[in-house]
Amino acid sequence: MIVVGNGRMITRDGARPYLESGAVALDGSVIRQVGTTEEIRGAYPEAEFIDAKGGVIMPAFINVHEHIYSAFARGLSINGYNPKGFLDILDGQWWTIDRHLTLEQTYLSAMATYIDCIKNGVTTIFDHHASFGSITGSLFEIEKAAKETGVRSCLCYEISDRDGKEKALASIQENVDFIRHAQKDDSDMIAGMMGMHASFTISDETMERCAAEKPEGVGYHIHVAEGIEDLHACLRDHGKRIIDRLMDCGILGEKTLAAHCIYINKHEMELLRETGTMVVHNPESNMGNACGCPPTMEIFHHGVLTGLGTDGYTHDMTESYKVANILHKHHLCDANAAWGEVPVMLFENNARIANRYFKKPLGVLKEGAAADVIITDYIPLTPMNGNNCNSHILFGMTGRSVVTTIAGGRVLMKDRRLTGIDEEKVLADCRQAAAELARSING
């Protein structure tokens, strides 16, 4: 039994949203009780006590669109890379990296990403992987890292015809093998989806094969209209818009996650809503790739379940919160835009999305929920309560405000020191692998 207490506690539970001096009792992988520090310490006097020291106790963050394979891109210079548009960025950088990744480099990319997630208080991720140099077994390498570090993970492999039919088939098989494996795992820490790159790199034949091979009970994780080129290709090659094509191919549904959705119209938003398809907004990545600002506020107000992800651009969900907040104000020239929508996406909808794949309630501190808790060292300068806590997070915290991270009742970091991981050795291995990757890319 662990008790985390003596902190200002944000629960995300409507029945008791905020406690000035709160505590939460963790019994294995679930929350046993929530209350004041006095109440909980009195009820469990023998429990290990983790002192928040007046900081903020809150549910851990969830990231619903990650790219582990991009970990070694930081600082990487690729000879001859001079992109003139989004397709150049994809082929010149991201596809170049994934074509050179070995299984060992995939594993170490995952370790590096998970370490950053823990340091930023993220305990659940939905990753979209690609390593066309080493496909078979790649998701299992990521799972190995997930289990070593303790981060809850829903994984998939990016199916695409861009490197030929043989690799497309291998990609489908990797998804199928991992999904079946994950469905036998009863830890509630691992799940699988059918990954797809984007409409413009997937033929009708491959889409039909995906539908035929996909195990029951899971959906697809796919990039949708991230670049205008994706829409143009769909109109040219299939005579329809992307969401219509996905609808016709049976891709949409309550278990499917559509990333980006920049170039979609109202009709497509209605299809997403009617099918229960989930959407994830990735503000930093969209801005960094100069892809454009998606109509996220409109998608949200159409009733589409919309969450927030990082696309591998960062592992700090507070950064995505900050960027999304100002992006839509700037884009819409409306100072009132995004105040309410983005925190709902981050703190409510990400949990709703995650709970379509994981059983224990996530993103909330209440009895029976997953024991995913973080402590930050933030001490508010101004009054803080359940009505204004989001503004305190937005303007007062960053991911590195997190000092302690607990996932599934397992303490992954305490007082900014990782537990159970030799961080120095892992990062040394990562640096060596990143250098080898750079050499293999640049000759």
Side-chain angles (χ1 to χ4, degrees):
M1 179 77 73
I2 297 173
V3 168
V4 181
N6 189 30
R8 297 167 176 87
M9 191 160 74
I10 303 166
T11 68
R12 303 294 170 188
D13 178 7
R16 204 176 190 184
Y18 181 82
L19 291 161
E20 183 64 22
S21 178
V24 54
L26 312 179
D27 187 3
S29 63
V30 298
I31 293 172
R32 170 73 67 85
Q33 190 176 344
V34 171
T36 66
T37 299
E38 184 180 6
E39 289 170 347
I40 301 302
R41 291 205 76 179
Y44 306 98
E46 302 300 319
E48 176 189 351
F49 182 68
I50 298 179
D51 190 351
K53 302 174 183 176
V56 174
I57 304 167
M58 56 194 280
F61 291 109
I62 299 164
N63 184 353
V64 291
H65 188 64
E66 256 281 19
H67 279 304
I68 280 169
Y69 82 88
S70 68
F72 295 159
R74 192 180 303 175
L76 174 64
S77 178
I78 299 175
N79 294 341
Y81 177 61
N82 183 29
K84 299 297 191 295
F86 183 52
L87 294 185
D88 288 346
I89 293 171
L90 287 177
D91 192 46
Q93 181 168 341
W94 302 118
W95 295 351
T96 295
I97 290 171
D98 85 57
R99 285 168 178 143
H100 286 81
L101 280 174
T102 65
L103 289 179
E104 176 68 9
Q105 289 164 354
T106 290
Y107 162 75
L108 289 170
S109 295
M111 290 296 291
T113 299
Y114 286 132
I115 285 173
D116 265 356
C117 286
I118 293 166
K119 289 182 174 181
N120 285 283
V122 176
T123 61
T124 300
I125 70 165
F126 280 60
D127 188 69
H128 196 282
H129 179 63
S131 55
F132 277 84
S134 300
I135 299 170
T136 302
S138 58
L139 296 183
F140 294 86
E141 290 296 315
I142 296 174
E143 181 201 27
K144 181 171 77 170
K147 290 190 171 181
E148 287 179 18
T149 56
V151 177
R152 184 180 293 100
S153 302
C154 184
L155 308 178
C156 70
Y157 189 93
E158 177 178 292
I159 297 163
S160 173
D161 287 300
R162 66 177 181 259
D163 280 355
K165 189 59 62 181
E166 183 178 336
K167 291 193 175 183
L169 293 175
S171 303
I172 293 171
Q173 192 61 50
E174 181 67 7
N175 280 299
V176 171
D177 290 345
F178 187 78
I179 291 166
R180 288 176 175 156
H181 165 76
Q183 288 177 332
K184 296 175 184 176
D185 188 297
D186 61 0
S187 68
D188 203 33
M189 296 294 289
I190 291 291
M193 300 178 75
M194 203 75 165
M196 289 180 160
H197 174 244
S199 173
F200 79 98
T201 70
I202 306 171
S203 66
D204 284 341
E205 179 186 353
T206 296
M207 280 208 176
E208 290 169 5
R209 184 68 174 263
C210 289
E213 298 287 339
K214 182 183 71 66
E216 290 294 324
V218 304
Y220 302 85
H221 190 164
I222 181 171
H223 299 95
V224 175
E226 184 177 2
I228 191 66
E229 299 89 347
D230 193 11
L231 173 58
H232 289 166
C234 199
L235 291 169
R236 180 190 66 238
D237 299 336
H238 306 284
K240 61 185 77 171
R241 297 181 68 90
I242 295 169
I243 296 296
D244 287 308
R245 183 184 181 216
L246 299 182
M247 180 72 173
D248 292 345
C249 292
I251 303 300
L252 304 183
E254 292 185 353
K255 290 278 194 170
T256 288
L257 187 58
H260 303 292
C261 293
I262 298 176
Y263 297 97
I264 68 170
N265 62 19
K266 289 182 180 180
H267 158 72
E268 291 173 292
M269 294 177 200
E270 289 165 3
L271 277 179
L272 290 168
R273 181 191 65 231
E274 290 168 7
T275 57
T277 303
M278 307 172 285
V279 167
V280 54
H281 176 35
N282 306 277
E284 298 106 317
S285 173
N286 296 162
M287 295 174 74
N289 289 327
C291 288
C293 178
T296 307
M297 297 299 101
E298 191 175 359
I299 293 170
F300 180 96
H301 288 293
H302 260 77
V304 178
L305 179 56
T306 307
L308 196 65
T310 67
D311 204 30
Y313 200 92
T314 178
H315 312 297
D316 179 355
M317 295 309 300
T318 66
E319 178 183 308
S320 294
Y321 182 7
K322 296 172 196 289
V323 172
N325 178 64
I326 58 175
L327 168 62
H328 296 287
K329 286 176 170 58
H330 174 75
H331 178 68
L332 297 171
C333 297
D334 179 0
N336 292 315
W339 283 125
E341 296 90 343
V342 175
V344 168
M345 290 159 55
L346 175 57
F347 299 119
E348 298 178 29
N349 289 355
N350 276 12
R352 291 174 61 195
I353 288 169
N355 275 129
R356 291 191 179 180
Y357 280 88
F358 298 103
K359 295 173 184 155
K360 295 184 191 74
L362 299 173
V364 63
L365 303 184
K366 68 177 183 180
E367 183 180 347
D372 289 18
V373 185
I374 59 174
I375 301 172
T376 77
D377 61 6
Y378 176 71
I379 307 294
L381 174 69
T382 56
M384 180 176 175
N385 55 54
N387 294 321
N388 69 9
C389 61
N390 289 341
S391 290
H392 280 274
I393 295 169
L394 179 64
F395 294 108
M397 298 184 195
T398 67
R400 291 308 176 96
S401 298
V402 176
V403 295
T404 296
T405 300
I406 302 171
R410 177 178 167 187
V411 179
L412 308 184
M413 179 176 72
K414 186 176 181 182
D415 297 327
R416 291 200 170 95
R417 292 185 65 85
L418 298 184
T419 63
I421 305 171
D422 185 343
E423 182 183 1
E424 185 176 346
K425 181 182 185 306
V426 170
L427 294 184
D429 291 342
C430 287
R431 283 188 284 272
Q432 180 178 340
E436 290 170 356
L437 176 65
R439 285 193 293 270
S440 71
I441 289 172
N442 288 319

